Amino acid sequence: MADAAVLYTNAVLIDDYQQRHLGNFLLHSDGSWTKSNGDEDVVETIDGTRRLITRSFQNWHTHLPMQLNARDFSDGLPLDEWLEKSIFPTEMNLTPDITKVGTIAAALEMIKTGSTFACDMYHFPEAIANGLNEAGLRGFVCGPQTHWPPQDNDDGSVKRELDRLLSTNNPDNNVQYGVATHAVYTCGEDTLLSGKELAEKHDAMLHIHISETRKEVAECHDKTGMYPVEYLDSIDYFIPNKTNCAHGSWVKKSEMRTLAKHKAAVVHCPSSNMKLACGGTLSLPAYKEAGVNVRLGTDGPASNGSGLDMAHEARMACLVQRHDHWDAAALLAKDAFAMATNGSKDWAVWNLDDIRMTPYGRDNNRHISNLIYNGAGCLDLWVDGKPLMKDNEVITLDQTNVINNLNDAIEDYYSDIESY
Ligand SMILES: [Zn+2]
């Protein structure tokens, strides 16, 4: 692709090493940046005065279509009851069209809050991929291999469809398909291994919830004599460098070493864990000591009660890590920012006139802390040199339509739930 650089003048840019730069910058379509000499051909020049350019957020655990669920959906229920009484019955009403409407609504929130990537797990993956592509976002869309409705007809059709989608994966696509095996408490050994084989066949991402609650861990131990990571290791579940494990809260140190051995990544989802009263907190210091790659994710909007705002999630990670470890340095804002943007090739541009971004400190040295602790208005968002949003106006989606479609879809989705 020919370079199509955009020039920001008089801006502040935070690079991949969190070094601050002041001046005129070219953002190239391959995701790189350079300082401007003032004589380059550019597709656009933007006044960057009072704007902060950073890498965009990367959300490593989502259920995007759950944007259809209200934030307080079945508020007050613990995870097992929340799933069995509320979420699974509601999901019987899902259709590809409703799934896409929910995905697009989630994409709108991602764009507005500076995220350009989601690693998702949900039903009807093609509808989700279509939604992300329309919005111009990146993603791993992991389709389910589980024993729960609405998709599982016991006729193998869900697996065949996912196999077909996985065969369309291409490194040039911004949205790739992967395989989701929901959890050890919803998937039997045959499902876990057939999901692993499918992911392996296509060299694709394998996505799972691991040790989210104490109950899940105790039940796994009762049934197998092993804790979840031990059990998954015993059946040879993990694919090196390709397994993305959400939560990982109730995990022993020996299990952390097992995850490290398989180069499995773990995704910290602090808001979700606290909203669903999971009790245990992913121990960041212990995971670091074991050498595990720890990422950050929001989980679904209904499970975390706070949507897809990664700056907010990074703040929650800072708070819960410190609180749980009695250590004010357990996770600093700059390190939470690094976790939340790790691997990003895209750019978010933040409004420094937002009161939440002040005071900005001598030599602009408070920007990252302000962004993580306070949040800020995202003005522009760039993927592959293309703007998804400029001046806080979303370009790839019609915001009014997205909101109207979401509210209309909910009429169908919750048609048999009076209290919604
Ligand atoms: Zn989840």
Side-chain angles (χ1 to χ4, degrees), residues 61 63 209 247 299:
H61 181 60
H63 310 281
H209 296 101
H247 304 297
D299 210 352

Side-chain angles (χ1 to χ4, degrees), residues 112 377-380 389-394 399:
K112 283 285 194 179
C378 189
L379 294 174
D380 311 333
M389 178 168 70
K390 279 165 76 176
D391 289 326
N392 198 242
E393 286 293 321
V394 178
Q399 183 165 326

Side-chain angles (χ1 to χ4, degrees), residues 87-136:
I87 294 295
F88 291 166
T90 309
E91 286 175 345
M92 293 297 289
N93 294 335
L94 263 183
T95 64
D97 286 347
I98 291 177
T99 301
K100 187 175 172 196
V101 169
T103 303
I104 293 266
L108 177 64
E109 185 176 350
M110 286 177 64
I111 292 170
K112 283 285 194 179
T113 53
S115 288
T116 56
F117 165 86
C119 185
D120 198 62
M121 173 195 287
Y122 211 61
H123 306 284
F124 301 117
E126 188 170 31
I128 298 169
N130 289 341
L132 286 173
N133 279 322
E134 266 186 46

Side-chain angles (χ1 to χ4, degrees), residues 136-168:
L137 292 165
R138 299 180 194 274
F140 288 130
V141 176
C142 301
Q145 289 296 290
T146 42
H147 285 315
W148 97 77
Q151 285 201 321
D152 193 324
N153 302 317
D154 281 334
D155 63 358
S157 56
V158 172
K159 185 174 181 184
R160 281 197 302 278
E161 170 65 359
L162 185 55
D163 194 17
R164 181 186 71 78
L165 294 174
L166 285 159
S167 69
T168 68

Side-chain angles (χ1 to χ4, degrees), residues 36-49:
S36 169
N37 297 317
D39 58 358
E40 301 89 354
D41 285 333
V42 296
V43 292
E44 187 174 3
T45 299
I46 296 171
D47 181 1
T49 308

